[in-house]
Amino acid sequence: MSLISELLLLPAAPLRGTAWVLRQVRDEAERQYRDPATVQRELRELERALLAGEIDEAEFDRREDELLARLENRNPWT
């Protein structure tokens, strides 16, 4: 970019920086959301809740399907 365009865009620098930070946060959240170790840990906790009687089988099946969809990197509601 030329010096003039840099000077003209200078007032928008905080917005561009904020947008970059938000993209980084979103990308990291997505990585953690789909991390197999995280999903497996949540599956173990879900099974523990079922065995402890904290949730019923219908709730277990619904949440298990969502977690398995995360592992397969697909939308669980399609």
Side-chain angles (χ1 to χ4, degrees):
M1 275 193 237
S2 70
L3 180 59
I4 293 174
S5 61
E6 284 292 326
L7 289 173
L8 291 174
L9 292 175
L10 191 58
L15 294 175
R16 292 191 329 235
T18 301
W20 179 84
V21 168
L22 291 174
R23 281 191 303 274
Q24 299 306 308
V25 169
R26 181 203 59 208
D27 292 347
E28 181 59 27
E30 183 71 20
R31 276 191 289 280
Q32 289 180 12
Y33 179 77
R34 301 214 185 275
D35 179 37
T38 301
V39 175
Q40 290 170 355
R41 186 172 49 253
E42 291 180 28
L43 281 168
R44 285 191 303 271
E45 174 60 25
L46 187 61
E47 184 177 19
R48 187 211 54 79
L50 176 67
L51 295 175
E54 297 170 5
I55 60 173
D56 62 10
E57 285 200 34
E59 176 71 8
F60 175 84
D61 289 340
R62 184 187 65 75
R63 291 173 56 189
E64 181 186 42
D65 288 344
E66 291 173 4
L67 290 168
L68 293 175
R70 280 170 51 186
L71 275 179
E72 296 173 1
N73 200 19
R74 64 178 171 83
N75 187 342
W77 299 281
T78 59

